[in-house]
Amino acid sequence: MELYIKNLKIEIDKFQLYVNDLKINSGEYVYIVGPTGSGKTLLLEAIAGFIAPKSGKILFNNQDISKLPPEKRNIGFMYQNYHLFPHLNVKKNIEFGLKMKKIRNNTFFNYIVERLNIFHILNREIQNLSGGEKQRVALARALVTKPKILLLDEPLSALDQEIKGDILNLLHKICIEYNLICIHVTHDKNEIIENSRVYKIYNGILTKEK
Amino acid sequence: MFKYFIMIISIILVLSIILPFLTVFLNVDYQLVIEIAKSKEFIDSVKVTFFAAFIATLIAIVFGTPFAYLITRYNFPLKSVLEAIIDIPQTIPHTAAGIALLLTLGRNSIIGKGASIFGISFVQTFWGVVVAMGFLSFSIYVNAVKEGFKKVDIRYEKIARSLGASPFKSFFHVALPMVRHEIITGSLLMWARGISEFGAVAILAYYPMTLSVLTYDKFQGYGLKQALALTALIFIISMIIFVIIRIIQNIWKYTESR
């Protein structure tokens, strides 16, 4: 499976973002770096379908998904602050996507919960979780509906330095394990694991860094 | 020094609110209060007032919640004009609003004639009371819920969409539960404001009598003594309502701070 972004142009007010050519295959973990306000989140939101591009195409397995609404794209998304629904407990947060998509798969739900080691906090309220726990719950919520693409917007920024490394390793493992297309945007180059493919956004243009 | 200065100003403010209440309770004939409280006329008017304000609030929830969401989440031409229109009834004299409603909904108006086909009339009826109360207090509900939606980060809804929720489901399962406190507070405030409405109600639907119209009627027909007893009863009811609202708000604050 392959995500291919071609001549994508996004315009919000006076800001413009341009992606000439970006191809990512399943199981690949790609970084996009750039300073705050450079348009990293905008690019992820365009891929997820939250904002409509002005022109260009987003192809998934050669199918143009740029006109599909977000709920039809099967893309997992994680923001910096996780945005766990505060009116639902941990279990209901994770089940949210299953409920919306009318999926009844308890086996996979249990597997993900065990895999991310959050079984013991399922009945907790969101307000009572630590940063690391919130991160895992948000990841479980994004993965439980079996997305093909996982978009991570500054996923480590809100975490303590000590657990950043563990979570980053977990994200890389999950990406390979579930054969996901993972895009991780960050302003912090220290988050990049060696030998990863890295792009940068500068002045609204995406270019390959290494 | 400054502290004492603002304390004195605050005391003057609080006294100016308490004083009329105290005057009423110091001068009222308590025997008459009990008599009026037991009268059919008073009980009927309490029922009409509370129920009409309740129906007006329900209508505001159905129409006002999507409107507040539209104003908060979308940009479109003339948006600020639309927002201002909702607030207009707050800025005009209520009697003037009553006259406007009478012309718009009266028996000879297009809406009045249309409604009469279904057996509904707005002049001197319960539905007239509902409309008059709703027209003048609708913006209280809308503004409360609008502030609620403004506080909800749109990214919650984006996440919901990525998890398979349609815009409808995202609204009902995410946005709406997250503004439930504002919906309830706005409803209570609108309901309480509806109860106190007089000007528009008196012009559009003097009958069936609401508490405010009944007080005016007693004052005009029977003089100050009767009106004073009724006023004391209304003060007691208002105080109970606001104590309940404050208790509910404090319970929320307590449960949320845990």
Side-chain angles (χ1 to χ4, degrees):
Chain A
M1 282 180 285
E2 176 194 74
L3 175 71
Y4 181 26
I5 300 171
K6 198 178 169 187
N7 297 328
L8 191 77
K9 198 175 180 183
I10 304 161
E11 256 186 37
I12 299 282
D13 299 325
K14 284 179 183 169
F15 182 78
Q16 279 195 349
L17 178 68
Y18 182 68
V19 179
N20 179 30
D21 188 271
L22 175 65
K23 265 185 195 175
I24 308 168
N25 291 310
S26 292
E28 263 195 290
Y29 197 103
V30 170
Y31 289 90
I32 296 174
V33 293
T36 307
S38 59
K40 304 183 300 289
T41 303
L42 208 60
L43 175 59
L44 291 193
E45 290 196 334
I47 297 170
F50 302 155
I51 49 169
K54 196 181 177 204
S55 59
K57 283 185 174 173
I58 302 168
L59 302 163
F60 180 67
N61 268 352
N62 294 323
Q63 273 193 320
D64 188 3
I65 59 164
S66 50
K67 298 277 186 293
L68 284 180
E71 62 269 26
K72 306 267 186 213
R73 294 194 186 195
N74 202 16
I75 293 175
F77 201 108
M78 264 176 67
Y79 280 113
Q80 178 179 347
N81 294 322
Y82 320 123
H83 290 79
L84 296 169
F85 306 128
H87 58 290
L88 303 176
N89 68 12
V90 170
K91 187 166 185 263
K92 286 182 177 164
N93 257 281
I94 301 169
E95 284 174 340
F96 186 88
L98 298 175
K99 197 176 152 189
M100 291 301 119
K101 292 186 174 179
K102 294 183 177 131
I103 300 170
R104 286 182 186 169
N105 188 348
N106 282 337
T107 321
F108 193 63
F109 172 88
N110 290 332
Y111 174 74
I112 283 288
V113 164
E114 289 288 353
R115 175 72 183 79
L116 295 173
N117 194 22
I118 49 173
F119 188 79
H120 62 291
I121 56 166
L122 277 183
N123 292 318
R124 276 214 219 148
E125 295 301 321
I126 297 307
Q127 294 79 2
N128 302 331
L129 301 179
S130 69
E133 286 168 339
K134 281 182 183 168
Q135 164 77 269
R136 284 164 193 272
V137 173
L139 190 56
R141 183 177 67 175
L143 292 173
V144 79
T145 54
K146 297 185 177 175
K148 304 290 180 209
I149 301 166
L150 182 62
L151 305 176
L152 306 158
D153 183 13
E154 303 267 6
L156 309 178
S157 300
L159 295 177
D160 292 336
Q161 204 59 41
E162 303 89 71
I163 60 167
K164 274 188 179 182
D166 293 343
I167 295 283
L168 190 59
N169 283 330
L170 177 70
L171 290 171
H172 274 265
K173 276 183 194 166
I174 292 280
C175 178
I176 295 164
E177 205 175 311
Y178 299 111
N179 208 25
L180 292 168
I181 292 164
C182 287
I183 306 177
H184 175 144
V185 309
T186 179
H187 68 279
D188 182 2
K189 286 188 174 177
N190 294 325
E191 289 177 11
I192 300 167
I193 285 184
E194 258 184 69
N195 300 322
S196 300
R197 190 144 61 108
V198 182
Y199 289 83
K200 68 173 177 185
I201 294 184
Y202 192 71
N203 278 343
I205 297 169
L206 183 97
T207 48
K208 194 170 180 185
E209 187 162 278
K210 64 172 181 176
Chain B
M1 183 64 188
F2 176 72
K3 185 183 163 190
Y4 293 115
F5 176 71
I6 56 169
M7 269 175 80
I8 290 165
I9 296 220
S10 304
I11 289 166
I12 292 169
L13 176 76
V14 173
L15 275 178
S16 70
I17 294 167
I18 290 175
L19 210 59
F21 279 81
L22 276 177
T23 313
V24 166
F25 288 112
L26 289 172
N27 291 289
V28 73
D29 176 352
Y30 285 96
Q31 193 58 43
L32 194 59
V33 171
I34 295 164
E35 258 175 52
I36 290 181
K38 286 177 183 170
S39 70
K40 187 178 180 303
E41 189 183 36
F42 173 74
I43 294 166
D44 283 350
S45 123
V46 169
K47 281 181 194 167
V48 167
T49 310
F50 282 32
F51 193 54
F54 175 70
I55 299 287
T57 307
L58 280 187
I59 294 168
I61 293 171
V62 172
F63 289 92
T65 312
F67 178 81
Y69 187 78
L70 175 83
I71 292 292
T72 318
R73 286 287 184 257
Y74 299 98
N75 284 320
F76 50 88
L78 303 175
K79 181 174 147 177
S80 52
V81 175
L82 211 62
E83 276 187 278
I85 288 171
I86 288 294
D87 287 331
I88 286 174
Q90 289 289 315
T91 59
I92 53 170
H94 292 191
T95 41
I99 286 165
L101 286 174
L102 187 64
L103 277 176
T104 315
L105 306 170
R107 290 184 186 105
N108 295 321
S109 69
I110 297 168
I111 297 173
K113 280 176 187 168
S116 68
I117 297 168
F118 303 100
I120 297 170
S121 170
F122 297 103
V123 182
Q124 311 297 9
T125 66
F126 174 78
W127 291 110
V129 178
V130 171
V131 169
M133 284 178 172
F135 184 74
L136 287 152
S137 50
F138 184 68
S139 60
I140 293 174
Y141 175 79
V142 169
N143 288 329
V145 179
K146 204 169 72 182
E147 288 310 307
F149 281 129
K150 273 184 192 168
K151 280 189 256 168
V152 177
D153 189 342
I154 195 169
R155 289 179 173 187
Y156 286 106
E157 291 164 68
K158 288 178 175 176
I159 289 290
R161 298 287 305 277
S162 78
L163 292 167
S166 64
F168 269 100
K169 283 183 176 174
S170 151
F171 175 73
F172 282 108
H173 292 277
V174 176
L176 217 49
M178 287 176 75
V179 295
R180 64 192 185 282
H181 289 178
E182 285 80 3
I183 288 176
I184 296 171
T185 308
S187 303
L188 285 170
L189 290 175
M190 180 185 163
W191 182 69
R193 175 65 193 78
I195 285 169
S196 66
E197 176 51 35
F198 171 70
V201 171
I203 286 173
L204 188 64
Y206 197 89
Y207 298 100
M209 276 192 206
T210 61
L211 281 170
S212 55
V213 175
L214 184 66
T215 311
Y216 176 75
D217 195 69
K218 288 279 179 205
F219 182 62
Q220 289 290 315
Y222 302 91
L224 188 61
K225 202 180 170 189
Q226 289 265 335
L228 198 61
L230 196 55
T231 305
L233 274 171
I234 292 169
F235 278 1
I236 293 165
I237 292 168
S238 304
M239 278 188 277
I240 292 169
I241 289 169
F242 276 96
V243 166
I244 291 169
I245 291 174
R246 286 280 171 253
I247 290 171
I248 291 170
Q249 285 175 334
N250 287 340
I251 289 171
W252 283 338
K253 276 180 196 160
Y254 172 73
T255 49
E256 278 184 354
S257 64
R258 281 162 70 204

